Structures are given as structure tokens and as C-alpha cells.
Amino acid sequence: MKLRREFNGVSKLRHYLQVVAFTLVVATIQCTFMPDKPYGPPVVYSVLIGTFTWAIIDLGRELIPSAAETGWPHGWQGIVLVLVGIVVGYLAGTLLADTLCVHYFHFYPAGSLISGADQRTSILITAIAGLVGTFYFYAVNKSAYLEGKMAEARMHASESRLKLLETQLEPHMLFNTLANLRVLIGTDPARAQHMLDRMIAYLRATLSASRSTQHPLALEFERLRDYLELMAVRMGPRLAYTLDLPDALRDVPVPPLLLQPLVENAIRHGLEPQVEGGHIAVRATTQESPHGPLLVIEVQDTGAGLPATLPAPGPGQSFGLAQVRERLATLHGAAGALELIATQPSGTSATVTFPLKSAATP
């Protein structure tokens, strides 16, 4: 694959400063082995030859279609570009350095000639330094390309993992709802039909949505409202809820179905064991941390509270909580957390915390 890249002035300036630093190192090494000669001339020659060589190679390759893997021209074009850069850089840099050293810095008297041995040494140093510098930038570009591909692969792997977790959550919710529907069919057919209508509407809204790994928090709250309305058909007045989403947080991206397992857990293990049912409140806020702002989403219920020992993950147990933790770890690593605490006088609070990102943040 070949391409032409957009010119990046900052990157070129960084490259040139690296070249200047490299030429100063070369001049210093040269003077170390020839302590009887002044330091100034090697610096002038080294910097000017390096500047011309860099300009021809690094700027010249922007005019030639280059490999995406390295950012350098393929085959003979790359070889010719490097050879031309070294030869022309040496000739032009030496010519300008001769003029400056004689007429401006007065390192040499006018008409003085450089010995053949010094010329051969200069040519050898230029060739070696040019090849080493070219290989360095070639390797840096290839390394950056490979790191980008690795990051892209990790991103796709994370997206695939989130897709898998979501496909596991949706049947879990569906099976639980169908089990509730089966009970209502035998005890209250009218409510069963109403619940079935709600479930059809919920599934239609869910399945018609785009299958992305992130969507706005407002959409997550809407899906949560649909689910709670579905559950309210079965529980009647035993279920009350409030949803609190500030306008400033409506467009914050979150994984789909992040909150539903927490609400489902609150209903199943908190409200259902109580004859009188209870209330569920879901609210989104922010808080500051040393590493930046955090999004905090709390699902609080007034149910039976936490048992002394949480049940092991399994059918109808802590499956949803385990999935929420795994999805947070996949997206945010150690920065994402799920905390369960008992509230007073009764009930449980499940709090999800992870770094706050704006809608424009990838």
C-alpha cells in the first residue's frame, strides 16, 4: 500500500532538531579523536552537511508515494533518495561550510586547502552518519506504524469482547422476563398480555438501535425506563422508580445495557423479596479525581438489602454484576469500578464509576 501523507510541520521540526543533536555528537566524537584540532570547524561542517542531507531525504520523501508501514518510498526510489541526499548534502554542506569557516568565522586563512586525508575522513563520516540517521528514522516510523496497528487490534478486540458481553446480557434479561410472563399467564392473563405488549415494544426499540459498543447516556436511560415500565406491569404498585439524568451528561458515551443488570439485580434481590416492594432511584453525577473527572452512576433501592454473602455467579444469581465488572475492566481497566454498599435503614446502592468522556472523545 502506498500513500501520500499530510505534511506535518511539527514532526519535521522535531526530526530536524534530532538531526542537529546527532551532528553535534558526531562533531564531538570527531574532535575527541583529533584533540589537536579546534572544535569549531567540525561543528560547522557536521551541522551544515547534516542539515542539507536531512532536507533532501526527509523533505524529499514527502514528494514520493511511500509505504504505509514505514512512511518511506519502496525499493529503488528509497535507495536513490538516500544516496542523492548523502552526496548532495555533503557537497552543498561542505561548500557552504568552507565559505563560512574562511570568510565569516575566520577559522582558516583565505586560499587554504583541506588535506586529502581530511576530505576522505569527512566523506566517510558523512556516509556512515547519513546511513545511520536514515535507518533510525526508518525504524522509528515503522515502530510507530506497528504500535498504531497494535492499538487498533486492541481496540477491535475490546469492541468484540463488549459485543460478546452484550449478547450474553440480552438473552439473560429476555429469559428472566419470559419466566415472569409465564407466571402471569396462569394468574392474570390481562396483565400478561399488557406485559407482552411492553416486551415487544422494548425489544423493537432495542433491536432497531445500532449495534455499537457505546451510545449516549440519555439512550441508556431511555432503555432503562422501558425496562422498568416492563417490570412495573408485573409488580404493579410494588415498584416505583425515579431517573435523574442532568442535561450536561446526556451525550456522555457509555456501553449499552450497562445499567440494566444493576436495576434487574435490585428488583430481583431487593424489591421482590419484600411484600411491599420498594423504590429504585438511578442518578448520574460527576466527581473530580487526581486523574480527571469521573462519571458516577448510582442505582439505589429500598429493598431487602445485601445478604451476608453474595451468591456465586450463575443462573439467576450475580451474572449481571459480573458482566458489569467485566465490561468496565475491558473499557477502562483499573479506572472503572463497581461498588455495592448497604444503605440505611434498608436497601442497597450499586455505584458505577469510570472516567468521564465527552461525546467527541474517541
Side-chain angles (χ1 to χ4, degrees), residues 296-321:
V296 181
I297 307 175
E298 183 183 14
V299 178
Q300 185 173 0
D301 67 76
T302 59
L306 288 173
T309 303
L310 289 177
Q317 300 301 327
S318 299
F319 173 83
L321 298 180

mmCIF file of all heavy atoms in Angstrom, residues 296-321:
data_model
loop_
_atom_site.group_PDB
_atom_site.id
_atom_site.type_symbol
_atom_site.label_atom_id
_atom_site.label_comp_id
_atom_site.label_asym_id
_atom_site.label_seq_id
_atom_site.Cartn_x
_atom_site.Cartn_y
_atom_site.Cartn_z
ATOM 1 N N VAL A 296 -20.195 9.154 37.629
ATOM 2 C CA VAL A 296 -20.689 8.309 38.711
ATOM 3 C C VAL A 296 -22.175 8.052 38.478
ATOM 4 O O VAL A 296 -22.972 8.987 38.403
ATOM 5 C CB VAL A 296 -20.473 8.977 40.089
ATOM 6 C CG1 VAL A 296 -20.979 8.062 41.204
ATOM 7 C CG2 VAL A 296 -19.003 9.313 40.300
ATOM 8 N N ILE A 297 -22.535 6.784 38.345
ATOM 9 C CA ILE A 297 -23.935 6.394 38.158
ATOM 10 C C ILE A 297 -24.323 5.479 39.311
ATOM 11 O O ILE A 297 -23.699 4.431 39.519
ATOM 12 C CB ILE A 297 -24.153 5.667 36.820
ATOM 13 C CG1 ILE A 297 -23.610 6.500 35.663
ATOM 14 C CG2 ILE A 297 -25.637 5.376 36.615
ATOM 15 C CD1 ILE A 297 -23.687 5.811 34.325
ATOM 16 N N GLU A 298 -25.356 5.884 40.043
ATOM 17 C CA GLU A 298 -25.781 5.143 41.230
ATOM 18 C C GLU A 298 -27.174 4.555 41.014
ATOM 19 O O GLU A 298 -28.087 5.246 40.549
ATOM 20 C CB GLU A 298 -25.793 6.063 42.448
ATOM 21 C CG GLU A 298 -26.166 5.360 43.746
ATOM 22 C CD GLU A 298 -26.230 6.308 44.927
ATOM 23 O OE1 GLU A 298 -26.250 7.530 44.700
ATOM 24 O OE2 GLU A 298 -26.282 5.821 46.072
ATOM 25 N N VAL A 299 -27.304 3.273 41.329
ATOM 26 C CA VAL A 299 -28.604 2.587 41.321
ATOM 27 C C VAL A 299 -28.898 2.204 42.774
ATOM 28 O O VAL A 299 -28.264 1.313 43.332
ATOM 29 C CB VAL A 299 -28.579 1.341 40.423
ATOM 30 C CG1 VAL A 299 -29.925 0.625 40.488
ATOM 31 C CG2 VAL A 299 -28.241 1.714 38.989
ATOM 32 N N GLN A 300 -29.857 2.895 43.369
ATOM 33 C CA GLN A 300 -30.155 2.700 44.792
ATOM 34 C C GLN A 300 -31.591 2.197 44.944
ATOM 35 O O GLN A 300 -32.511 2.696 44.297
ATOM 36 C CB GLN A 300 -29.975 4.015 45.560
ATOM 37 C CG GLN A 300 -30.155 3.879 47.057
ATOM 38 C CD GLN A 300 -29.807 5.174 47.783
ATOM 39 O OE1 GLN A 300 -29.432 6.151 47.166
ATOM 40 N NE2 GLN A 300 -29.934 5.164 49.100
ATOM 41 N N ASP A 301 -31.758 1.177 45.810
ATOM 42 C CA ASP A 301 -33.095 0.642 46.047
ATOM 43 C C ASP A 301 -33.385 0.630 47.542
ATOM 44 O O ASP A 301 -32.470 0.707 48.368
ATOM 45 C CB ASP A 301 -33.222 -0.776 45.464
ATOM 46 C CG ASP A 301 -32.357 -1.793 46.187
ATOM 47 O OD1 ASP A 301 -32.716 -2.208 47.309
ATOM 48 O OD2 ASP A 301 -31.299 -2.176 45.629
ATOM 49 N N THR A 302 -34.663 0.522 47.870
ATOM 50 C CA THR A 302 -35.099 0.455 49.270
ATOM 51 C C THR A 302 -35.553 -0.960 49.608
ATOM 52 O O THR A 302 -36.478 -1.157 50.392
ATOM 53 C CB THR A 302 -36.247 1.442 49.524
ATOM 54 O OG1 THR A 302 -37.345 1.115 48.657
ATOM 55 C CG2 THR A 302 -35.811 2.868 49.256
ATOM 56 N N GLY A 303 -34.876 -1.934 48.990
ATOM 57 C CA GLY A 303 -35.291 -3.320 49.147
ATOM 58 C C GLY A 303 -34.743 -3.992 50.374
ATOM 59 O O GLY A 303 -34.428 -3.344 51.386
ATOM 60 N N ALA A 304 -34.600 -5.315 50.282
ATOM 61 C CA ALA A 304 -34.239 -6.134 51.434
ATOM 62 C C ALA A 304 -32.793 -5.944 51.875
ATOM 63 O O ALA A 304 -32.420 -6.348 52.969
ATOM 64 C CB ALA A 304 -34.488 -7.603 51.104
ATOM 65 N N GLY A 305 -31.961 -5.375 51.032
ATOM 66 C CA GLY A 305 -30.568 -5.146 51.416
ATOM 67 C C GLY A 305 -29.671 -6.294 50.995
ATOM 68 O O GLY A 305 -30.128 -7.337 50.505
ATOM 69 N N LEU A 306 -28.379 -6.113 51.226
ATOM 70 C CA LEU A 306 -27.396 -7.123 50.830
ATOM 71 C C LEU A 306 -27.443 -8.326 51.758
ATOM 72 O O LEU A 306 -27.566 -8.173 52.976
ATOM 73 C CB LEU A 306 -25.981 -6.526 50.866
ATOM 74 C CG LEU A 306 -25.619 -5.514 49.775
ATOM 75 C CD1 LEU A 306 -24.265 -4.896 50.069
ATOM 76 C CD2 LEU A 306 -25.607 -6.181 48.413
ATOM 77 N N PRO A 307 -27.330 -9.538 51.198
ATOM 78 C CA PRO A 307 -27.202 -10.716 52.073
ATOM 79 C C PRO A 307 -25.829 -10.749 52.711
ATOM 80 O O PRO A 307 -24.908 -10.038 52.307
ATOM 81 C CB PRO A 307 -27.394 -11.888 51.088
ATOM 82 C CG PRO A 307 -26.937 -11.344 49.771
ATOM 83 C CD PRO A 307 -27.325 -9.889 49.775
ATOM 84 N N ALA A 308 -25.688 -11.562 53.717
ATOM 85 C CA ALA A 308 -24.398 -11.668 54.399
ATOM 86 C C ALA A 308 -23.304 -12.121 53.443
ATOM 87 O O ALA A 308 -22.161 -11.681 53.507
ATOM 88 C CB ALA A 308 -24.503 -12.639 55.577
ATOM 89 N N THR A 309 -23.666 -13.004 52.504
ATOM 90 C CA THR A 309 -22.723 -13.489 51.500
ATOM 91 C C THR A 309 -23.384 -13.387 50.139
ATOM 92 O O THR A 309 -24.496 -13.900 49.947
ATOM 93 C CB THR A 309 -22.332 -14.960 51.766
ATOM 94 O OG1 THR A 309 -21.788 -15.066 53.085
ATOM 95 C CG2 THR A 309 -21.308 -15.424 50.737
ATOM 96 N N LEU A 310 -22.713 -12.703 49.205
ATOM 97 C CA LEU A 310 -23.282 -12.583 47.873
ATOM 98 C C LEU A 310 -23.296 -13.938 47.184
ATOM 99 O O LEU A 310 -22.349 -14.714 47.316
ATOM 100 C CB LEU A 310 -22.448 -11.593 47.039
ATOM 101 C CG LEU A 310 -22.558 -10.123 47.438
ATOM 102 C CD1 LEU A 310 -21.621 -9.281 46.582
ATOM 103 C CD2 LEU A 310 -23.984 -9.620 47.298
ATOM 104 N N PRO A 311 -24.359 -14.258 46.443
ATOM 105 C CA PRO A 311 -24.416 -15.547 45.746
ATOM 106 C C PRO A 311 -23.361 -15.629 44.660
ATOM 107 O O PRO A 311 -22.963 -14.621 44.083
ATOM 108 C CB PRO A 311 -25.830 -15.562 45.153
ATOM 109 C CG PRO A 311 -26.207 -14.120 45.037
ATOM 110 C CD PRO A 311 -25.549 -13.430 46.198
ATOM 111 N N ALA A 312 -22.919 -16.857 44.395
ATOM 112 C CA ALA A 312 -21.930 -17.068 43.343
ATOM 113 C C ALA A 312 -22.579 -16.840 41.992
ATOM 114 O O ALA A 312 -23.777 -17.056 41.818
ATOM 115 C CB ALA A 312 -21.370 -18.486 43.425
ATOM 116 N N PRO A 313 -21.802 -16.358 40.982
ATOM 117 C CA PRO A 313 -22.371 -16.159 39.658
ATOM 118 C C PRO A 313 -22.969 -17.444 39.118
ATOM 119 O O PRO A 313 -22.412 -18.526 39.261
ATOM 120 C CB PRO A 313 -21.155 -15.735 38.813
ATOM 121 C CG PRO A 313 -20.201 -15.143 39.812
ATOM 122 C CD PRO A 313 -20.392 -15.949 41.063
ATOM 123 N N GLY A 314 -24.132 -17.324 38.509
ATOM 124 C CA GLY A 314 -24.813 -18.492 37.960
ATOM 125 C C GLY A 314 -26.189 -18.104 37.503
ATOM 126 O O GLY A 314 -26.569 -16.930 37.552
ATOM 127 N N PRO A 315 -26.984 -19.049 37.044
ATOM 128 C CA PRO A 315 -28.328 -18.737 36.556
ATOM 129 C C PRO A 315 -29.160 -18.039 37.607
ATOM 130 O O PRO A 315 -29.372 -18.563 38.697
ATOM 131 C CB PRO A 315 -28.895 -20.130 36.203
ATOM 132 C CG PRO A 315 -27.683 -20.983 35.960
ATOM 133 C CD PRO A 315 -26.648 -20.477 36.920
ATOM 134 N N GLY A 316 -29.584 -16.813 37.278
ATOM 135 C CA GLY A 316 -30.442 -16.070 38.185
ATOM 136 C C GLY A 316 -29.723 -15.495 39.382
ATOM 137 O O GLY A 316 -30.355 -14.994 40.293
ATOM 138 N N GLN A 317 -28.402 -15.576 39.415
ATOM 139 C CA GLN A 317 -27.691 -15.059 40.582
ATOM 140 C C GLN A 317 -26.960 -13.779 40.214
ATOM 141 O O GLN A 317 -27.560 -12.864 39.695
ATOM 142 C CB GLN A 317 -26.739 -16.140 41.123
ATOM 143 C CG GLN A 317 -27.446 -17.414 41.543
ATOM 144 C CD GLN A 317 -28.476 -17.188 42.630
ATOM 145 O OE1 GLN A 317 -28.310 -16.323 43.478
ATOM 146 N NE2 GLN A 317 -29.554 -17.955 42.605
ATOM 147 N N SER A 318 -25.621 -13.733 40.426
ATOM 148 C CA SER A 318 -24.870 -12.487 40.240
ATOM 149 C C SER A 318 -24.297 -12.355 38.847
ATOM 150 O O SER A 318 -23.264 -11.736 38.647
ATOM 151 C CB SER A 318 -23.744 -12.408 41.278
ATOM 152 O OG SER A 318 -24.268 -12.420 42.580
ATOM 153 N N PHE A 319 -24.955 -12.957 37.846
ATOM 154 C CA PHE A 319 -24.472 -12.890 36.466
ATOM 155 C C PHE A 319 -24.322 -11.441 36.000
ATOM 156 O O PHE A 319 -23.300 -11.052 35.436
ATOM 157 C CB PHE A 319 -25.440 -13.649 35.560
ATOM 158 C CG PHE A 319 -25.140 -13.524 34.102
ATOM 159 C CD1 PHE A 319 -24.196 -14.334 33.506
ATOM 160 C CD2 PHE A 319 -25.801 -12.577 33.329
ATOM 161 C CE1 PHE A 319 -23.924 -14.221 32.151
ATOM 162 C CE2 PHE A 319 -25.531 -12.454 31.981
ATOM 163 C CZ PHE A 319 -24.593 -13.274 31.399
ATOM 164 N N GLY A 320 -25.367 -10.629 36.233
ATOM 165 C CA GLY A 320 -25.341 -9.249 35.769
ATOM 166 C C GLY A 320 -24.221 -8.445 36.380
ATOM 167 O O GLY A 320 -23.555 -7.664 35.694
ATOM 168 N N LEU A 321 -23.994 -8.604 37.676
ATOM 169 C CA LEU A 321 -22.916 -7.862 38.343
ATOM 170 C C LEU A 321 -21.560 -8.250 37.780
ATOM 171 O O LEU A 321 -20.692 -7.389 37.569
ATOM 172 C CB LEU A 321 -22.953 -8.128 39.855
ATOM 173 C CG LEU A 321 -24.221 -7.680 40.593
ATOM 174 C CD1 LEU A 321 -24.101 -8.012 42.073
ATOM 175 C CD2 LEU A 321 -24.454 -6.194 40.402
#
